[in-house]
Amino acid sequence: MKLLATALMLAVPVLATAPLSSASAQNAPSVESMVPASGTVLDVSATGRTTRVPDVAMIRSGVVTQDATASAALSDNSDRMARVLAALKSAGVAGRDIATANVSLSPQYRYADHAPPVITGYQASNTVSVRFRDIAKAGAILDALVKQGANQIDGPNLSLDKPEAALDDARADAVKVARARAELYAKAAGMSVARIVSIGEGGENAGNQPPMPQFRMLRVSADSAPTQIVSGETDVTVTLNVRFLLK
């Protein structure tokens, strides 16, 4: 503190003998932001949380085919993929909710000791990402896709379509958590919370769940049990970095 007082005393004559222009004065930082607060500063990181039921499911589905030639593999893949896309549209999935995720064609090799690899055929793959806005119907639609030729399914990734209100609830909760934690520290130190100095947002999760791979390559028979997708609940979180002044 003695060093700080000396620095401030030395700065006064400079300001008096060299006044700032009006433009410089407007851009200059305020004295309050330059001078440390009188008291103890406490930094708290707090995560606010709320729960919501996911209303969107993202799933990848597609067709993998193999044949002796590249053209035959691609042709078979295109025919089956056309039926898959038609099934999606017939089920009421909007075009904006269907997007090509990956298209590939690769040779298949046979390996033997002390011999170069030999191409035995070609594999073609076409995958689309599908957004289901009615999660309850997603399982039945996936079963229909498999019947139409889809033999690759990956997902689901459940999320919220419009998470803004839930994020705001999580932010408000984070402030409450930070305040309660600051009160705890202040009481333990024999002090009290004077005010919040600053709040910074450190990160958020808008209810997006990590993908849960359920990869399958099969055909569904007539007596197969229907696929079910259960949404459950997801956490929406926001992390804040809050600085408090203790007295």
Side-chain angles (χ1 to χ4, degrees):
M1 295 299 292
K2 290 182 178 181
L3 181 59
L4 174 62
T6 303
L8 291 176
M9 291 176 62
L10 292 175
V12 171
V14 176
L15 293 175
T17 56
L20 296 174
S21 65
S22 59
S24 299
Q26 293 177 359
N27 297 328
S30 65
V31 174
E32 183 180 356
S33 64
M34 295 172 61
V35 179
S38 175
T40 299
V41 172
L42 171 66
D43 290 322
V44 173
S45 177
T47 299
R49 189 181 312 273
T50 187
T51 59
R52 293 290 190 278
V53 176
D55 53 10
V56 174
M58 182 70 75
I59 294 174
R60 288 163 62 102
S61 178
V63 176
V64 177
T65 55
Q66 293 183 349
D67 214 307
T69 65
S71 59
L74 274 177
S75 178
D76 183 24
N77 191 282
S78 297
D79 292 341
R80 293 167 64 176
M81 198 64 194
R83 297 198 302 270
V84 168
L85 293 174
L88 284 171
K89 293 178 181 178
S90 297
V93 179
R96 66 191 176 100
D97 291 329
I98 306 171
T100 299
N102 180 65
V103 177
S104 66
L105 176 67
S106 57
Q108 304 299 292
Y109 295 95
R110 182 177 68 245
Y111 297 91
D113 292 339
H114 311 296
V118 177
I119 295 178
T120 60
Y122 292 85
Q123 178 175 283
S125 174
N126 191 336
T127 306
V128 292
S129 60
V130 185
R131 180 183 288 108
F132 293 102
R133 299 181 186 275
D134 188 347
I135 296 179
K137 296 180 179 179
I141 295 175
L142 290 177
D143 290 339
L145 295 184
V146 174
K147 291 178 180 178
Q148 292 300 320
N151 57 5
Q152 181 180 14
I153 294 176
D154 184 12
N157 184 11
L158 304 177
S159 63
L160 300 175
D161 186 30
K162 297 180 180 179
E164 290 79 12
L167 284 170
D168 286 345
D169 288 346
R171 291 183 179 102
D173 185 57
V175 173
K176 293 179 182 178
V177 172
R179 167 71 71 169
R181 194 167 298 166
E183 296 283 359
L184 176 66
Y185 280 117
K187 183 178 180 180
M191 307 178 76
S192 62
V193 176
R195 63 184 177 90
I196 292 177
V197 177
S198 65
I199 300 176
E201 195 162 300
E204 64 181 39
N205 181 348
N208 297 316
Q209 298 179 348
M212 296 178 291
Q214 296 178 355
F215 191 80
R216 65 179 184 178
M217 297 182 66
L218 46 80
R219 289 187 177 276
V220 174
S221 61
D223 58 351
S224 297
T227 300
Q228 297 185 11
I229 297 178
V230 182
S231 58
E233 284 189 344
T234 186
D235 287 339
V236 178
T237 61
V238 173
T239 299
L240 299 181
N241 299 313
V242 186
R243 173 165 290 184
F244 293 90
L245 179 63
L246 307 183
K247 294 250 179 138

